[in-house]
Amino acid sequence: MTTTALHRSSITSRRGDDTERPRKWPVLSDLDHPSQIFEHITPNWFASVMGTGIVANAAATLPAHIPGLHVFATIVWIAASVALITLSGAFAVHWIRHRQYAREHAAHPVMVQFYGAPPMALLTVGAGTMLLGKDVIGAMPATVIFAVLWTAGTALGLITSILVPYLMITAHDHQTAVALPAWLMPVVPPMVSASTGALLLPHIADGQWRLAMLSGCYAMFGLSLIIGMLTMTLIYGRLVHGGIPPVQAAPTVWITLGMIGQSITAANLLGNDAPLVFTGETASVATGLHVFGILYGLIMGGFGVLMFILATALTIHAAQKGLTFSLTWWSFTFPIGTCVTGATALGGALGSAAVEALAIGLYAALLAAWGTVAAHTLRGSVQGKLFQPS
């Protein structure tokens, strides 16, 4: 879900011509010095945390009892947690030591969209801590960590969902602007907050606090859904009238599935939790929200099938045109992962074995995509190639 290939940055390394070039290191051989890894740590790197975290979270909720799956999911969650901590530190160093580059990235009309990735990374790892971390660090610490990460991710996500569109309206060049799938990146975080908030709801004090939490999650669901669908309309129109994006950016079409899958997940998880809030005389409200989640999931699921097939066809088309690996390939992971969690939640609410089987099939596709992208990313990181400006 990331890209440094959506644009050709004008940012270049500024090194003196009169200084002797340092020797090459055996690792990071494509860089002049290991410290260069901090020069271009852009927010799109956090999509690797999102893509890895969703592999763990989807496995934890998958409607299948596969030997070793829980252990595998826990290991992947630990990897995502380590990646989040490492990237957060590197990103902080980037802003402190290379502030000029950081500001230029933040001012770029495409790269700024990916400031939606850090909050979603926090929310994804936080949800994994609740689902899997409790078996490692204990239930209480896992709940506290999840609450902290959810609060931080939600706050950052809401800021991003407002600030980035504001900058697009007031500061960007409108004559050259075209609708891109990346436009969804700052829009999706509140939807992730809504779906992961359902995991936190049982731990909120009963009464008005729990009602406020559920209401807030539905409000974020609406915020993200309405703006997201408006944005997806622009993106679809751009694809139909303007053709596919550049070859290296073609994988970002998969970002559209992130909104679809995550919204189905949120609608059904919140509907399942509604009875915790609405009881007695208001129990009918909980029933209505449960039914809403099922109907919404079925209707949006049909749209999701269309976009999945379309994204697959466009990816094959791009591969035939010479698509090579870049960080845009992380677009294959998190969106498919949300389709897995969406199908799992819908299948459970509907009691449909067919939908649950679909979730398992989608998870197999997710594993294949994640394994491929993670291997390429690890190789490019060790070489240092991915830390160079594009």
Side-chain angles (χ1 to χ4, degrees):
M1 187 175 288
T2 60
T3 178
T4 55
L6 287 174
H7 68 282
R8 295 298 179 187
S9 175
S10 61
I11 303 170
T12 57
S13 298
R14 299 170 173 85
R15 307 181 186 94
D17 294 333
D18 55 345
T19 60
E20 182 181 353
R21 292 173 63 86
R23 67 180 178 85
K24 294 288 186 178
W25 290 66
V27 180
L28 304 175
S29 58
D30 287 347
L31 301 179
D32 291 333
H33 192 277
S35 63
Q36 285 182 261
I37 64 174
F38 299 110
E39 290 186 7
H40 301 287
I41 298 293
T42 47
N44 51 11
W45 270 95
F46 284 89
S48 63
V49 179
M50 296 164 53
T52 301
I54 200 69
V55 170
N57 297 354
T61 59
L62 203 65
H65 299 286
I66 302 174
L69 182 62
H70 184 79
V71 174
F72 167 75
T74 302
I75 294 173
V76 175
W77 164 73
I78 292 174
S81 301
V82 172
L84 175 62
I85 295 171
T86 303
L87 276 175
S88 297
F91 196 56
V93 172
H94 169 69
W95 266 97
I96 294 172
R97 296 181 56 183
H98 305 283
R99 187 164 299 181
Q100 182 177 352
Y101 292 165
R103 287 177 174 174
E104 290 175 344
H105 288 140
H108 195 279
V110 176
M111 188 57 70
V112 70
Q113 308 294 332
F114 290 95
Y115 270 89
M120 286 191 282
L122 292 171
L123 293 166
T124 303
V125 171
T129 305
M130 187 74 258
L131 293 169
L132 299 160
K134 59 185 178 182
D135 297 330
V136 179
I137 61 177
M140 182 58 69
T143 302
V144 172
I145 292 173
F146 175 38
V148 171
L149 292 179
W150 186 87
T151 302
T154 298
L156 289 175
L158 289 173
I159 292 172
T160 301
S161 66
I162 297 172
L163 182 58
V164 173
Y166 174 79
L167 293 175
M168 293 172 67
I169 294 170
T170 62
H172 292 170
D173 184 359
H174 300 102
Q175 294 182 348
T176 60
V178 293
L180 299 170
W183 284 12
L184 285 169
M185 287 296 294
V187 176
V188 178
M191 187 66 77
V192 181
S193 292
S195 62
T196 54
L199 300 176
L200 188 59
L201 192 67
H203 301 278
I204 302 297
D206 194 10
Q208 290 297 313
W209 284 106
R210 189 174 288 176
L211 174 61
M213 179 68 174
L214 182 66
S215 301
C217 287
Y218 270 110
M220 289 187 289
F221 172 87
L223 182 160
S224 187
L225 178 64
I226 294 174
I227 299 299
M229 294 308 296
L230 290 173
T231 304
M232 288 180 68
T233 301
L234 295 173
I235 294 169
Y236 185 80
R238 162 67 177 82
L239 291 173
V240 172
H241 293 288
I244 63 173
V247 171
Q248 289 303 108
T252 59
V253 175
W254 288 85
I255 297 176
T256 57
L257 284 166
M259 170 61 69
I260 296 170
Q262 198 66 252
S263 65
I264 295 174
T265 304
N268 282 279
L269 292 184
L270 292 174
N272 290 340
D273 280 351
L276 296 174
V277 177
F278 300 104
T279 59
E281 296 180 354
T282 60
S284 59
V285 176
T287 302
L289 292 175
H290 179 73
V291 173
F292 167 76
I294 293 174
L295 290 177
Y296 176 85
L298 291 172
I299 294 171
M300 186 60 75
F303 180 46
V305 171
L306 166 66
M307 293 306 299
F308 193 99
I309 296 174
L310 182 60
T312 300
L314 291 176
T315 301
I316 294 173
H317 179 81
Q320 294 172 341
K321 297 292 184 179
L323 176 65
T324 58
F325 175 74
S326 67
L327 288 178
T328 59
W329 283 31
W330 281 103
S331 302
F332 297 136
T333 56
F334 188 79
I336 296 179
T338 66
C339 293
V340 176
T341 59
T344 297
L346 176 60
L350 189 60
S352 172
V355 178
E356 291 182 340
L358 175 62
I360 296 172
L362 287 170
Y363 188 73
L366 171 62
L367 281 180
W370 175 74
T372 301
V373 178
H376 280 285
T377 302
L378 182 60
R379 185 183 304 115
S381 298
V382 171
Q383 294 172 346
K385 182 178 180 181
L386 292 179
F387 298 111
Q388 294 178 337
S390 299

